[in-house]
Amino acid sequence: MEASLCALYSIIFLVLIYKLKFFSADGITRSFLALAFLLKVAGGLALWWLYTYYYTDRSSADIYKYFDDSAVVHAALKNSPADYLHLLFGTGSDEHLKQYYLKMDHWYREFEGGMINEDRTMIRANAILRLFSFGHFNVHTVFFAFLSLAGLVALYKTFAPALKGKQRTFAVLLFLFPSLLFWGSGVLKESLALFAMGGMIRQFSLLTGGGHRLKALVFFLLFAFLLVLTKAYVFIAFLPGLAIWLALKASGQNYALLKSAMVVLLFGALALLVPKADLAGRIVTKQRMFIHVAEGGTHLLHDNKFVYIEPAIKDPIIPTGTKGYARIRDGVPYTYWFRERPKDTLTAVSDFDTSSYWVFYSQPPSGSRIGIGKLDTTVQSLLAHSPAAFWNTLARPYPWEAGSLLLALPAIENVFILALLLASVIFSSRGKCDKRHFYPGLCFVVLLFILIGLTTPVMGAIVRYKVPALPFLFACALLLLDKEKLAARLPFLKSLIA
């Protein structure tokens, strides 16, 4: 049944690729896009195989976490259509729906402290797709692969006019790059984020370029809203780039670097100096949580109190009977801090602690941990650690750090990316480069890479999290690259850039 449904929906999406005007673009054929779609489905299936037959802990696999929780939402449709609609479109904290929330493992993500709960977006998306999949997982894979493809097509159509003579190379990188095929095609936030940001950037381009501006504005807001719900930090990293785009559109491309720098400084000042934004505090908290997760152990939350118990301590908690909640065993030592004071880390030993803690992580140490500089909430700390953070995201894992297939392929990719960037700098087009596309894209890549590098001490996670930035990295490299200069010095590469 599952194979038949996957084949049926794949055929439907292939027909859409050949029939819809959206999939018509200069420089690429519909047959190429059809092949790209099938390869993306294959990439999504490879991801499913990996987390089904190699990494067999279903409870910790992102492709299954939200899919399994979505069964609870879907079941509400039969019990109470009103509850089902509230679960899909409500605030997610209605008291009368608590019977459903408590059956799910990932509906709550309270440690984010007021930020948008992105996990619920994935649970809801999977719940909607269950109407078409009848509970068969890989039908969701086919849908996510198609959504990701649509987002990449939108990005291609946005940058292609500025890449005359290099469109084919951009298309190959965009649709066939291994990390984009693997991490950007399965039932993951990355696939949905590629769809949302592709649509958002395409509509922003149409909005600033004239034409049906009201229609473009409506769709821009819809895609932006979806991106915020899926990966809020990616949307935040986009904001300065969008402002640069507007600034260069309004004032021309003269002094583009200076204008771009001024926009970034303005956004940086607003983000770091507005108390309610508390960007620095959120980054520090996120880094601390991720470091503890990478080190393994048990991670608990009660109200605004974070608790960490080292992995060496066996069976440190006792389930309370409510799914996902436990109390700390008497005599267990632990470290804790409060959200309002993330720098103040305290130690204690449990002594008749009857508090019910939410268990949001309990796992062994990560095998691909790297050292990252520990932050404090000062601007100086963030700036001092940003260069190393950017480099870690760009270049790691190094080839000699690749201890598994999941790291070996990204290590090879990183060598290719560094070579491409080096060639783009050495053989740069400079004055020929379309700055209105280059500087916004560059700004987004740099900011997103820094955010990832500041908070993520696991190379496997870095490889996945940087996927949304790769299309813009490739676009910027090709915008800067002068293929005539490259061909003059290295003629054997001439046929590769087209």
Side-chain angles (χ1 to χ4, degrees), residues 119-320:
D119 294 350
R120 293 177 192 171
T121 304
M122 288 297 294
I123 294 170
R124 286 163 166 158
N126 277 288
I128 292 171
L129 288 180
R130 278 181 177 271
L131 297 172
F132 305 93
S133 71
F134 306 102
H136 295 292
F137 177 82
N138 277 316
V139 175
H140 295 230
T141 297
V142 173
F143 273 82
F144 272 79
F146 181 74
L147 290 174
S148 172
L149 178 80
L152 292 178
V153 170
L155 287 175
Y156 175 85
K157 294 175 76 168
T158 300
F159 284 97
L163 289 168
K164 294 294 185 183
K166 294 174 276 189
Q167 293 173 334
R168 187 174 67 186
T169 302
F170 182 51
V172 169
L173 292 174
L174 197 60
F175 295 105
L176 304 182
F177 197 73
S179 282
L180 282 164
L181 281 175
F182 187 70
W183 296 112
S185 301
V187 186
L188 292 171
K189 293 176 187 175
E190 281 69 26
S191 299
L192 198 56
L194 287 172
F195 171 68
M197 72 181 196
M200 184 184 78
I201 295 302
R202 178 61 180 161
Q203 295 303 319
F204 187 81
S205 176
L206 295 174
L207 179 64
T208 57
H212 300 288
R213 291 190 172 179
L214 179 59
K215 177 182 175 183
L217 176 61
V218 170
F219 278 102
F220 166 76
L221 293 174
L222 288 174
F223 282 116
F225 182 61
L226 177 59
L227 183 58
V228 169
L229 293 180
T230 305
K231 277 188 174 287
Y233 70 92
V234 174
F235 176 77
I236 291 171
F238 260 123
L239 290 177
L242 297 180
I244 291 170
W245 191 316
L246 286 175
L248 298 183
K249 173 70 175 178
S251 62
Q253 299 191 31
N254 292 331
Y255 305 106
L257 178 59
L258 177 60
K259 295 172 186 176
S260 301
M262 291 175 64
V263 169
V264 171
L265 288 174
L266 176 61
F267 271 85
L270 290 173
L272 295 173
L273 299 178
V274 175
K276 287 188 177 181
D278 191 27
L279 180 61
R282 293 186 187 280
I283 291 174
V284 170
T285 298
K286 186 73 173 178
Q287 185 200 61
R288 178 172 294 191
M289 295 305 304
F290 215 146
I291 288 174
H292 280 313
V293 170
E295 291 172 347
T298 303
H299 312 266
L300 310 171
L301 176 69
H302 177 69
D303 292 332
N304 64 339
K305 179 182 177 181
F306 295 92
V307 170
Y308 171 65
I309 304 172
E310 294 184 353
I313 300 173
K314 305 301 181 183
D315 299 321
I317 56 177
I318 304 171
T320 62

Side-chain angles (χ1 to χ4, degrees), residues 344-361:
D344 298 337
T345 302
L346 306 171
T347 57
V349 176
S350 179
D351 184 20
F352 300 105
D353 186 351
T354 60
S355 300
S356 178
Y357 290 88
W358 178 48
V359 184
F360 55 91
Y361 279 110

Side-chain angles (χ1 to χ4, degrees), residues 19 40 48 60 68 112 165 170 173 201 211 216 238 287 333 369 378 400 408 431-432 436 490:
K19 295 295 184 182
K40 289 183 76 63
W48 161 79
S60 63
D68 290 344
E112 290 291 2
F170 182 51
L173 292 174
I201 295 302
F238 260 123
Q287 185 200 61
R369 300 191 307 279
T378 63
W400 53 88
K432 301 177 186 177
R436 190 162 65 93
L490 303 170

Side-chain angles (χ1 to χ4, degrees), residues 57-75:
D57 182 4
R58 188 179 178 107
S59 65
S60 63
D62 278 358
I63 65 168
Y64 282 125
K65 290 192 301 186
Y66 312 123
F67 174 80
D68 290 344
D69 278 357
S70 73
V72 177
V73 179
H74 181 73

Side-chain angles (χ1 to χ4, degrees), residues 18 33 40 44 66 93 101 128 171 222 258 281 339 341 370 374 379 403 421 431 435 445 456 482 489:
Y18 278 100
L33 292 178
K40 289 183 76 63
Y66 312 123
S93 57
Y101 303 153
I128 292 171
L222 288 174
L258 177 60
R339 180 179 291 122
R341 300 188 302 277
I370 59 174
K374 291 191 176 181
V379 176
L421 293 177
K435 300 179 180 63
V445 170
T456 311
D482 188 328
R489 293 287 298 275

